[in-house]
Amino acid sequence: MKNLLRLFRYDWPLQFVLTLTNWFPDNISLLRFRGVLAAPFLKKAGRNIKIGRDVTFYNASNVSIGNDVYIAKGCWFSAGEEIIIGNKILFGPYVVVVTGNHSIKNGSYYEGPPIGRKKVLIGDGSWIGAHATVLAGVEMGATTLLAANSVLAQSTQPFAIMGGVPAKLIKYADQT
């Protein structure tokens, strides 16, 4: 019953809003408009959220977004557990944020139940480059940069610049 209520309150209305607005071009005014329409169907939503086309939220009731967040085209948020997005965050195109993993059952990942669900926290002022992935349990420190095409499997300190598969510390950014 709880899952059915979640579907009717969060997931289906949000999917309807995002599908309905996907034909709008991605310009500043329409990105903001899409963010305003999507906000009531998230766990928490700050002001000035910009959402690009073809963005997917799985379990929107577990997604909290702060102020001044830009989510580019094609991002995917799989929130089996909580995803907390801070303020002034940039998501490049096709970023994936996941809070769980798959297991094997009867010799197949298809039949295996989800495991290892852990929340994800993305600190204020961070930037996640295009096609990057943030895995379950990661806490990105404030003002962290995750390079494009990277996979972040570990938590970071503030001002870290991370890159690679798996992502490793490249250096710390100047704190200006």
Side-chain angles (χ1 to χ4, degrees):
M1 186 61 151
K2 183 179 177 183
N3 282 340
L4 192 58
L5 290 173
R6 176 184 52 81
L7 288 173
F8 280 111
R9 165 62 180 93
Y10 296 98
D11 294 345
W12 290 350
L14 179 57
Q15 188 60 44
F16 178 75
V17 164
L18 295 176
T19 300
L20 189 66
T21 61
N22 269 343
W23 63 274
F24 294 160
D26 280 349
N27 64 43
I28 295 297
S29 297
L30 294 173
L31 290 167
R32 282 188 184 132
F33 181 62
R34 195 177 288 119
V36 167
L37 292 177
F41 308 111
L42 300 168
K43 180 175 185 176
K44 178 182 171 256
R47 68 181 189 288
N48 195 29
I49 298 172
K50 299 178 201 87
I51 299 177
R53 290 178 288 161
D54 302 319
V55 172
T56 300
F57 292 94
Y58 173 73
N59 280 351
S61 61
N62 283 341
V63 178
S64 298
I65 301 177
N67 299 320
D68 304 313
V69 173
Y70 171 74
I71 301 172
K73 177 182 174 55
C75 291
W76 191 67
F77 299 88
S78 179
E81 287 297 322
E82 192 170 22
I83 295 175
I84 302 170
I85 299 167
N87 300 311
K88 299 184 179 183
I89 308 290
L90 298 170
F91 288 91
Y94 302 101
V95 168
V96 175
V97 180
V98 297
T99 62
N101 212 335
H102 296 279
S103 65
I104 299 173
K105 181 178 178 185
N106 298 328
S108 170
Y109 285 102
Y110 181 83
E111 293 185 28
I115 60 169
R117 289 184 174 172
K118 297 177 187 169
K119 78 176 184 179
V120 171
L121 172 65
I122 299 172
D124 294 348
S126 294
W127 174 20
I128 302 174
H131 297 273
T133 301
V134 179
L135 299 179
V138 167
E139 292 188 18
M140 289 179 68
T143 320
T144 293
L145 167 62
L146 179 59
N149 298 307
S150 298
V151 177
L152 186 60
Q154 64 182 343
S155 295
T156 70
Q157 296 296 316
F159 294 94
I161 298 175
M162 307 289 290
V165 179
K168 294 185 179 6
L169 178 66
I170 297 170
K171 67 178 188 173
Y172 288 99
D174 295 332
Q175 299 180 24
T176 56

